[in-house]
Amino acid sequence: MDDIARHSVGRYDYVIVGAGPAGCILANRLSADPATRVLLLEAGGKDDYLWIHIPVGYLYCMGNPRTDWCFTTEAEAGLNGRSLAYPRGRVLGGCSSINGMIYMRGQARDYDGWRQLGNAGWSWDDVLPYFKKSEDHVHGADALHGAGGELRVEEPRIAWEILDAFREAAAETGIPPTKDFNRGDNEGCGYFQVTQRRGWRWSAARAFLHPVMKRPNLRVLTGAQTSAIRFEGRRATGVEFWQAGAARTAEAAGEVILAAGAVGSPHLLELSGIGRGALLQAHGISVRHDLPGVGENLQDHLQLRLCYKVRNTKTLNERANRLLGRLGIGLEYFLFRRGPMVMAPSQLGAFARSDPARETPDLQYHVQPLTLDRFGDPLHPFPAFTASVCNLRPTSRGSIHLKSSDARTQPAIAPNYLASEEDRRIAVAAIRLTRRICAAPALARFAPDEFKPGPAAQSDAELERAAGDIGTTIFHPVGTCKMGQDDAAVVDERLRVRGLAGLRVVDASIMPRITSGNTNAPTMMIAEKASDMIREDARARAAL
């Protein structure tokens, strides 16, 4: 594209690519200094679609090209040849505008593990202040929670009899009740806390970006798809992008910061000649910097969706399938901001061990008072619930790589689910544990009857096959520009791209290992910490 005449939109101290959770925080924090000029580029549009802000609206945002990139994976051997939809936010707020709104930090040991890999400054004690900085917790501040931050965290505004019974059954199976998953050890079973404010979704755009949009030193461009990073020698000096069909450039006097996510950031690096040399050359891209770890180390949480018919109780299936039920749901929300329309995709969670010998929980449950064949399909007409369970620390590793030198071509997303023997063994153990919970006395009065995968699958081999049939992503891709000191690392502990200047990656792609839970809150923490590091480095450069 170098032969195309491009119009410059100006020179800034920082050019941020991607207005997702990380990009919104970066734009807020870096533009807080009125002398610092910041440009934020978002390929998607404005977050003015009503269904973004109504919590249940994720049903209308995922798979919708107005708000979702609508990616798909390659056919996965571990999923018996299936390909999965792979939602990623394409709108201001990014994934925080379409995700499940669950506030989950993970376990202290996750971050201590990052530090033990050689990433100084990333232990639990190091990152906890950044979680607290963003947070406005419904129960106020204490040693582990913050108040007064931009990100509102509240208790769910709905409960279900069947979920309460599942929590009791989990306790009977050895998983104790808990009221707070975010204190460093998330073991237990309880309702998830959510990023909502009085029944509305509280995305990163609403929390961090909209309150500062009128700052004269911050410019936000939507519909701006970045196609390449510009360089002078080994220093990043700006970006090329398309907007309204026109070719444009932006110059960065300080840094280019990629916050395009675990799919977008490695893809843009490869389009710019940064990655595995042989792969780039095969697509006609000149190699600027051979960095073989780009796009590798993909990790994601694969959820196994077990479904049970029940009796003697009501679930969302029946309410949503009746006209009067739907009218009541709508009235309950618009009058009181309560009821099923405030629901996150999953309401009840549990963290458990696949094996008692595990040091900390390695399984996470997302339990829902509904069932459907697959995401986007109608709910079943009978009362039922879903108990989804995922392996928190998969050992399988996948990849994301470009398919073409055209930035508008979707990259190849290959999560490589269930490729390792350990992951398959844990999947079998997870299904067996779920069955024990559902057979516990607390659920007996509802007569749970498993219909997915179904009781016919009993042997380890049958359950492995069943896991491939019922497994689906829980939308937590990370690790494709991992932080570290080894040859496969893409960024250092300050998130600078190794071997280059003026270029950082700040999003979930930098995680060397996936966190033990949902990944939105950790991504925001990463951006909070990165903002401080970026400003510290700028002061150090100015002092030279």
Side-chain angles (χ1 to χ4, degrees):
M1 296 187 184
D2 288 339
D3 58 338
I4 298 174
R6 290 180 172 270
H7 169 70
S8 174
V9 299
R11 184 175 176 84
Y12 302 84
D13 294 291
Y14 300 106
V15 175
I16 304 166
V17 179
C24 288
I25 290 177
L26 289 165
N28 180 304
R29 302 306 189 219
L30 296 178
S31 67
D33 178 355
T36 300
R37 298 155 299 166
V38 178
L39 174 66
L40 177 63
L41 299 175
E42 169 54 44
K46 297 179 180 178
D47 58 334
D48 53 3
Y49 182 43
L50 178 62
W51 285 115
I52 291 173
H53 307 294
I54 297 174
V56 80
Y58 67 89
L59 291 168
Y60 307 102
C61 292
M62 291 185 183
N64 181 347
R66 178 173 180 170
T67 50
D68 182 3
W69 282 97
C70 298
F71 293 135
T72 56
T73 70
E74 304 296 292
E76 286 282 300
L79 302 186
N80 303 324
R82 291 186 297 129
S83 175
L84 300 180
Y86 217 65
R88 296 284 89 196
R90 188 174 185 267
V91 65
L92 288 180
C95 290
S96 74
S97 290
I98 70 170
N99 70 359
M101 296 162 284
I102 292 171
Y103 184 77
M104 184 65 59
R105 296 171 174 176
Q107 299 172 6
R109 66 159 287 170
D110 298 332
Y111 305 100
D112 290 341
W114 292 5
R115 175 63 187 89
Q116 289 161 9
L117 291 172
N119 298 300
W122 289 92
S123 71
W124 171 251
D125 288 342
D126 292 319
V127 304
L128 179 59
Y130 291 105
F131 280 115
K132 294 171 64 178
K133 178 180 179 179
S134 296
E135 192 178 21
D136 183 22
H137 198 275
V138 65
H139 298 307
D142 63 17
L144 292 165
H145 283 293
E150 292 88 346
L151 185 67
R152 183 65 174 173
V153 178
E154 295 187 347
E155 301 289 354
R157 298 165 74 91
I158 188 170
W160 294 85
E161 181 183 41
I162 191 66
L163 300 187
D164 292 339
F166 188 96
R167 182 172 53 186
E168 294 172 18
E172 292 171 342
T173 318
I175 306 168
T178 185
K179 292 184 178 180
D180 188 353
F181 289 120
N182 290 298
R183 305 188 73 82
D185 175 6
N186 52 18
E187 185 165 14
C189 184
Y191 280 88
F192 290 121
Q193 294 172 342
V194 290
T195 51
Q196 294 180 10
R197 182 181 289 276
R198 294 188 291 274
W200 294 100
R201 174 191 290 274
W202 207 245
S203 69
R206 292 194 76 172
F208 297 95
L209 188 59
H210 286 296
V212 302
M213 286 274 274
K214 293 184 178 179
R215 286 177 179 169
N217 60 323
L218 172 62
R219 186 177 184 186
V220 180
L221 296 181
T222 56
Q225 183 170 353
T226 304
S227 55
I229 305 162
R230 296 169 71 90
F231 286 87
E232 290 180 5
R234 302 188 74 77
R235 170 170 287 278
T237 58
V239 299
E240 301 175 359
F241 64 99
W242 294 97
Q243 187 183 41
R248 305 183 189 278
T249 65
E251 298 173 59
E255 296 186 15
V256 173
I257 306 168
L258 304 190
V263 177
S265 288
H267 189 209
L268 183 54
L269 287 174
E270 290 185 335
L271 290 167
S272 306
I274 303 162
R276 182 153 38 96
L279 173 69
L280 304 183
Q281 290 171 336
H283 290 286
I285 297 174
S286 299
V287 180
R288 178 172 295 279
H289 182 43
D290 196 322
L291 200 57
V294 172
E296 295 294 315
N297 192 49
L298 173 62
Q299 300 157 62
D300 189 13
H301 288 142
L302 180 75
Q303 61 174 345
L304 309 180
R305 298 178 60 252
L306 282 79
C307 298
Y308 291 82
K309 294 181 181 179
V310 291
R311 300 200 297 265
N312 307 319
T313 192
K314 292 182 178 180
T315 67
L316 185 59
N317 284 9
E318 309 93 271
R319 289 193 69 183
N321 278 302
R322 298 196 323 267
L323 176 59
L324 286 177
R326 292 194 296 273
L327 288 173
I329 288 170
L331 284 172
E332 190 176 4
Y333 181 74
F334 286 107
L335 291 176
F336 307 110
R337 296 289 182 268
R338 293 189 176 275
M341 288 185 70
V342 303
M343 284 171 51
S346 301
Q347 297 79 57
L348 188 77
F351 289 83
R353 293 171 169 83
S354 63
D355 183 317
R358 292 275 173 176
E359 183 180 342
T360 61
D362 64 328
L363 299 178
Q364 180 181 6
Y365 281 89
H366 292 78
V367 192
Q368 308 152 328
L370 57 88
T371 57
L372 67 173
D373 288 330
R374 60 181 178 271
F375 185 82
D377 283 2
L379 302 185
H380 292 134
F382 44 79
F385 72 91
T386 300
S388 293
V389 58
C390 71
N391 175 2
L392 289 169
R393 293 186 282 276
T395 55
S396 301
R397 295 291 184 267
S399 64
I400 294 175
H401 291 298
L402 54 72
K403 291 182 179 179
S404 163
S405 59
D406 186 341
R408 292 161 288 196
T409 300
Q410 174 188 315
I413 303 171
N416 209 23
Y417 296 120
L418 298 174
S420 72
E421 182 179 351
E422 179 178 349
D423 287 357
R424 295 190 295 273
R425 178 175 54 77
I426 291 175
V428 170
I431 293 173
R432 295 194 192 282
L433 175 60
T434 308
R435 288 175 168 176
R436 290 198 299 275
I437 295 171
C438 292
L443 281 167
R445 68 186 186 275
F446 305 115
D449 179 16
E450 180 187 317
F451 68 94
K452 184 182 284 190
Q458 292 293 332
S459 70
D460 286 1
E462 290 167 339
L463 292 178
E464 282 187 17
R465 176 78 185 182
D469 289 336
I470 65 174
T472 188
T473 177
I474 206 164
F475 320 130
H476 298 163
V478 307
T480 48
C481 297
K482 81 165 189 172
M483 170 175 58
Q485 313 302 320
D486 60 288
D487 291 341
V490 176
V491 299
D492 64 15
E493 71 277 5
R494 297 186 74 80
L495 310 189
R496 300 170 296 201
V497 175
R498 298 171 67 226
L500 297 172
L503 181 61
R504 282 184 220 243
V505 181
V506 181
D507 54 36
S509 71
I510 67 93
M511 296 186 190
R513 292 178 184 160
I514 196 166
T515 53
S516 299
N518 309 74
T519 51
N520 187 57
T523 300
M524 291 184 174
M525 175 278 293
I526 288 167
E528 286 282 22
K529 182 172 171 59
S531 298
D532 274 1
M533 293 191 294
I534 291 165
R535 289 177 294 192
E536 288 167 4
D537 290 352
R539 288 193 292 269
R541 287 194 301 270
L544 292 177

